Amino acid sequence: MSGAGGVRVQREAFDLGAELEAFEAATSGAGAMVSFTGIVRDDAGGRLDRMEIEHYPGMTERALEKIRADAMKRWDLAGALIVHRHGALRPGEWIMMVATAARHRKAAFAAAEFLMDYLKSRAPFWKKEYTSDGAEWVAAKEEDEAALTRW
Amino acid sequence: MIDVLYFAWVRERIGKPREAVETQATTVADLVEELKKREPRYAAAFADVSALRVAVDQELADFSTPLSGAREVAFFPPMTGG
């Protein structure tokens, strides 16, 4: 694996501040760091109890490694980090994060967007929302698939 | 013998996360046809394959992908990461 960062798939919560500090330390001198964090959103008007995220152990790690490697190849990055949780998450909990570091902000922003676009529809995660009305799988969005065509 | 895995609502509809399948299928589509003949719940899960995605040995694949030497085939709905 080239560059700082890497990929992690975990059930436990992560500490965004600590992750960014460690990533920044590992890419020190890069000059620019961008991060994105996905947070469980209650679209059910306060009735969302939890979101359960299922994944495909083995394939998930491979898919994330590939997405990360593609970003590292495409932009001149000092590093790229992907952390994605699975299991039960409550509204407001951090689901996942990406961070990228580069000499200039444009590459760092673009690479972070690329990571997110591919994570959405090419990493084997599935979300199920549990509300007071029952449970429902979150459907994939056509716009997420369409987002890949810009790369 | 191929390990067949199901995720998300495909898993729920079929009622198990994985099973070992003795098959002579040469493509993913052939395997789907064999599974559909097993029981109504398989036929229901595979009724509309355009709503499904497939991975062969943990790489995204197509229904026309050959199964020669494949150890693991997984069926699931479109992914919703991030």
Side-chain angles (χ1 to χ4, degrees):
Chain A
M1 187 171 58
S2 62
V7 311
R8 280 189 357 246
V9 182
Q10 62 187 48
R11 186 173 282 276
E12 317 81 64
F14 57 88
D15 180 333
L16 182 60
E19 296 289 348
L20 291 177
E21 262 181 48
F23 182 67
E24 195 278 332
T27 56
S28 61
M33 179 170 81
V34 163
S35 78
F36 173 87
T37 312
I39 302 161
V40 179
R41 179 181 59 221
D42 181 358
D43 281 338
R47 289 176 296 113
L48 182 70
D49 176 62
R50 66 189 189 279
M51 175 180 271
E52 290 197 0
I53 301 178
E54 178 173 338
H55 80 114
Y56 183 172
M59 180 175 168
T60 309
E61 289 78 0
R62 287 169 67 144
L64 296 182
E65 293 280 6
K66 181 177 188 308
I67 292 167
R68 181 184 176 280
D70 287 347
M72 296 292 295
K73 229 179 291 169
R74 198 165 170 142
W75 290 277
D76 188 12
L77 303 178
L81 170 69
I82 304 173
V83 180
H84 205 304
R85 293 181 65 192
H86 62 93
L89 284 82
R90 303 275 175 192
E93 278 196 74
W94 295 327
I95 305 172
M96 49 75 56
M97 64 166 290
V98 301
T100 55
R103 289 182 56 79
H104 301 288
R105 74 176 186 282
K106 277 192 178 167
F109 270 118
E113 286 223 67
F114 174 93
L115 293 177
M116 285 311 304
D117 280 351
Y118 275 86
L119 264 166
K120 280 275 171 195
S121 54
R122 291 292 183 277
F125 291 98
W126 302 275
K127 294 173 178 150
K128 193 173 190 179
E129 290 179 340
Y130 290 77
T131 69
S132 44
D133 291 340
E136 206 167 324
W137 289 100
V138 175
K141 293 194 190 79
E142 263 175 48
E143 67 212 53
D144 287 338
E145 186 65 35
L148 301 187
T149 58
R150 66 174 165 147
W151 303 110
Chain B
M1 198 77 103
I2 294 180
D3 274 326
V4 182
L5 283 70
Y6 311 108
F7 291 96
W9 60 255
V10 185
R11 169 180 55 72
E12 291 177 340
R13 220 162 276 187
I14 289 175
K16 55 179 110 173
R18 66 190 301 155
E19 60 189 321
V21 174
E22 190 66 65
T23 178
Q24 301 303 317
T26 57
T27 65
V28 172
D30 289 346
L31 175 63
V32 168
E33 287 311 309
E34 282 185 16
L35 291 170
K36 280 168 83 170
K37 285 182 194 130
R38 289 187 154 195
E39 285 175 51
R41 58 200 166 103
Y42 288 89
F46 290 109
D48 177 12
V49 291
S50 73
L52 295 180
R53 300 292 179 269
V54 59
V56 174
D57 288 334
Q58 303 190 355
E59 297 277 358
L60 278 179
D62 292 309
F63 286 84
S64 59
T65 300
L67 289 180
S68 51
R71 296 180 308 276
E72 191 171 296
V73 177
F75 296 101
F76 42 79
M79 297 159 273
T80 53

